[in-house]
Amino acid sequence: MQAGLTDLLHDAAVLHRFADFIEEYCKEQERSQRYIDASGDFFRYAENLAGGIKPELRNWVERASRFPPEIAAARVATLRRNMLTFKGYLKLMHTLIKPAADAHTLSIPAPLINLACDQLRQIEGMKDSHIVVLLTPQLMYFQRPHTHVKQQAKRVENLIPKAKFPAGLGFIELPYSQGPSFFTNLAIYHEIGHFVYEELSTLPSLKPHVAALKSVTDQSLTKFPVLKNRQDRLLAEKIIESWTQEIFCDLFALRLVGPAFSFSLVEILGLLGSHSRELMVTFNEEHPAPACRFAEHVKLLRKDTWWDAIAHIQPEQKRLIEELAEIPSTDYKAYAGESGPKGLMAAFVGSIIPKIENLVRHATPEAKPAAERFGSARRTIEDCLSVGVVPHSNSSTPPDPVSIINSAFCFYLTALPKIVKE
């Protein structure tokens, strides 16, 4: 018993120091920086978590010292397993807290993020959602899956009831170099799409459309005899799921913010590499070919009348989107030369994407009114931008944020270069 109690005391002391650091670090960030509301909620949760772990550890050690010899070994083993639960979860929190602390309001476009979150909460079933921004050294935008975080949080909550994980909390990673940039950060709408996709199974109104998508996906996979074993089948399912999520998130972003998202994706792809035709027509295991993605962009933007609304501009970025969208799907290339990947690609384009679009349409608000508002307000907004003043309207209704974003992006792509030359 003495050896077991000694080990328990050592583990408790190490874990207590770790929890104490987490608690004080989060308090210091809140004192020294300003954050969007979701980040503040996350820090307070981490403080409550760490603050709840410390007295629990002290209680465990005190109880363990009084265990009768006949039950001591078993009870100590149980307490050490509980400590391992705490350790594992604090380790996960450790990976999230520092990137969240770096994402204070001076390092991220907080107004854009708040707007995106407001739009997210207007979607049916998403009214309690809020997003914590993390800064990452990776030159890419990510949505950090939150389901596993919630699962671990639930196990800890069983031991510390007051440490309740905030409902509807999600995490999005932004490249630290792009934090101050406005236009490229429109990519957050795509990442919010991943957050929504992860929650689809919990939204009753979307279950029929999710089921329809799953059904056509299963039917597509059963058509390929090349998937001879379970391992090949699981790999194919994973690839199709990745492609499905990417198209869903692209279309989701377009429905919320319009063609400005397409322009931002062009800029991001240019930042990450070249626009060579080979890269643009090739599917990889995680992403559909950019040509395929932009083809779906243009189809949706046409249906939602956004494409007509931006007919007045023809910058290089828009011409590139049009050129890629016009590439026949028969020219798309698979990530490998085997017949299996090529067959998956053809089935995805022909059968699965229409179901994805249908799901997006039912998950998001109607987009045509936003395109109409943009068409009415565009000239006024661009006139304001041309003389460096805040966009306003002479009417009683000021321009809405989506109109301002798209007008500003169009101005950036067309009028701004002319002003600079003059």
Side-chain angles (χ1 to χ4, degrees):
M1 165 60 188
Q2 187 61 38
L5 180 58
T6 299
D7 291 341
L8 180 71
L9 289 170
H10 177 266
D11 287 351
V14 171
L15 186 54
H16 191 283
R17 287 196 298 271
F18 190 19
D20 189 61
F21 173 82
I22 293 292
E23 182 180 17
E24 292 304 317
Y25 184 84
C26 289
K27 288 179 178 178
E28 175 58 28
Q29 304 317 304
E30 291 187 280
R31 286 192 294 263
S32 61
Q33 302 286 358
R34 289 184 61 84
Y35 293 92
I36 59 175
D37 291 343
S39 296
D41 292 342
F42 176 60
F43 288 139
R44 285 186 288 277
Y45 165 72
E47 292 166 24
N48 291 335
L49 170 69
I53 285 176
K54 293 190 294 182
E56 196 68 21
L57 291 174
R58 291 192 290 269
N59 291 337
W60 288 353
V61 169
E62 183 179 349
R63 286 163 47 202
S65 65
R66 299 197 302 268
F67 286 153
E70 61 271 17
I71 65 169
R75 293 290 180 85
V76 168
T78 298
L79 293 179
R80 294 191 73 186
R81 283 195 297 271
N82 290 342
M83 286 186 190
L84 285 175
T85 298
F86 286 162
K87 284 181 181 178
Y89 191 55
L90 283 181
K91 182 179 178 182
L92 175 59
M93 288 294 102
H94 187 270
T95 66
L96 298 172
I97 289 170
K98 180 58 166 65
D102 291 341
H104 50 77
T105 54
L106 293 178
S107 61
I108 61 172
L112 175 63
I113 292 164
N114 288 333
L115 169 65
C117 290
D118 287 343
Q119 291 174 281
L120 169 64
R121 285 189 284 270
Q122 292 172 18
I123 293 173
E124 184 179 357
M126 295 281 116
K127 67 177 182 178
D128 295 324
S129 301
H130 43 304
I131 302 295
V132 176
V133 175
L134 315 174
L135 289 189
T136 173
Q138 303 298 320
L139 190 55
M140 182 53 75
Y141 292 81
F142 295 100
Q143 181 258 346
R144 178 76 69 95
H146 59 281
T147 300
H148 75 289
V149 178
K150 289 169 29 178
Q151 290 170 345
Q152 291 197 42
K154 189 64 178 178
R155 289 196 290 269
V156 172
E157 186 182 330
N158 292 332
L159 301 172
I160 307 177
K162 78 169 189 176
K164 188 173 180 62
F165 191 79
L169 193 70
F171 302 90
I172 288 178
E173 299 182 0
L174 273 62
Y176 74 87
S177 63
Q178 302 304 302
S181 174
F182 184 88
F183 293 128
T184 54
N185 279 321
L186 292 172
I188 65 174
Y189 282 90
H190 176 98
E191 304 310 322
I192 288 176
H194 282 289
F195 174 81
V196 173
Y197 191 90
E198 199 170 346
E199 294 289 311
L200 285 178
S201 62
T202 68
L203 307 180
S205 64
L206 295 180
K207 284 185 178 179
H209 310 291
V210 173
L213 173 59
K214 184 179 186 306
S215 176
V216 75
T217 299
D218 290 341
Q219 292 172 16
S220 297
L221 288 170
T222 58
K223 293 178 180 178
F224 299 105
V226 71
L227 304 177
K228 297 178 180 178
N229 55 54
R230 178 174 173 77
Q231 184 176 358
D232 288 343
R233 169 80 182 205
L234 290 175
L235 177 60
E237 289 176 354
K238 181 180 178 181
I239 292 169
I240 288 291
E241 175 68 9
S242 295
W243 293 349
T244 296
Q245 282 204 41
E246 293 304 316
I247 294 295
F248 175 91
C249 296
D250 274 7
L251 302 186
F252 176 90
L254 289 170
R255 292 280 282 184
L256 263 61
V257 79
F261 171 71
S262 296
F263 296 141
S264 73
L265 183 58
V266 172
E267 304 247 312
I268 292 167
L269 291 175
L271 184 65
L272 297 176
S274 70
H275 290 150
S276 71
R277 181 182 172 88
E278 183 72 17
L279 289 175
M280 293 297 103
V281 300
T282 301
F283 281 61
N284 61 40
E285 294 187 21
E286 296 180 349
H287 294 84
C292 173
R293 295 173 68 176
F294 284 120
E296 298 310 314
H297 285 210
V298 172
K299 288 178 188 176
L300 186 65
L301 291 171
R302 289 188 189 281
K303 291 178 182 178
D304 288 339
T305 70
W306 268 111
W307 206 250
D308 291 337
I310 59 171
H312 66 287
I313 70 165
Q314 196 64 23
E316 179 184 352
Q317 290 85 346
K318 186 184 175 189
R319 288 195 293 270
L320 176 61
I321 291 171
E322 291 172 325
E323 290 171 5
L324 292 174
E326 290 171 0
I327 294 175
S329 61
T330 52
D331 289 357
Y332 297 162
K333 296 184 177 181
Y335 61 91
E338 295 85 355
S339 59
K342 289 181 179 179
L344 288 178
M345 183 182 66
F348 177 74
V349 172
S351 302
I352 297 175
I353 286 182
K355 296 297 183 182
I356 299 173
E357 182 189 340
N358 183 60
L359 175 58
V360 171
R361 286 191 173 278
H362 284 86
T364 55
E366 177 59 53
K368 288 183 180 179
E372 292 171 359
R373 289 193 297 269
F374 163 78
S376 299
R378 175 186 62 82
R379 188 173 297 280
T380 298
I381 296 170
E382 291 188 1
D383 287 345
C384 292
L385 293 174
S386 67
V387 293
V389 300
V390 176
H392 65 279
S393 174
N394 293 326
S395 69
S396 59
T397 305
D400 67 285
V402 172
S403 294
I404 293 174
I405 289 171
N406 283 278
S407 297
F409 216 144
C410 291
F411 180 82
Y412 163 71
L413 296 176
T414 58
L416 189 60
K418 296 178 183 177
I419 292 175
V420 171
K421 287 181 181 180
E422 293 175 359

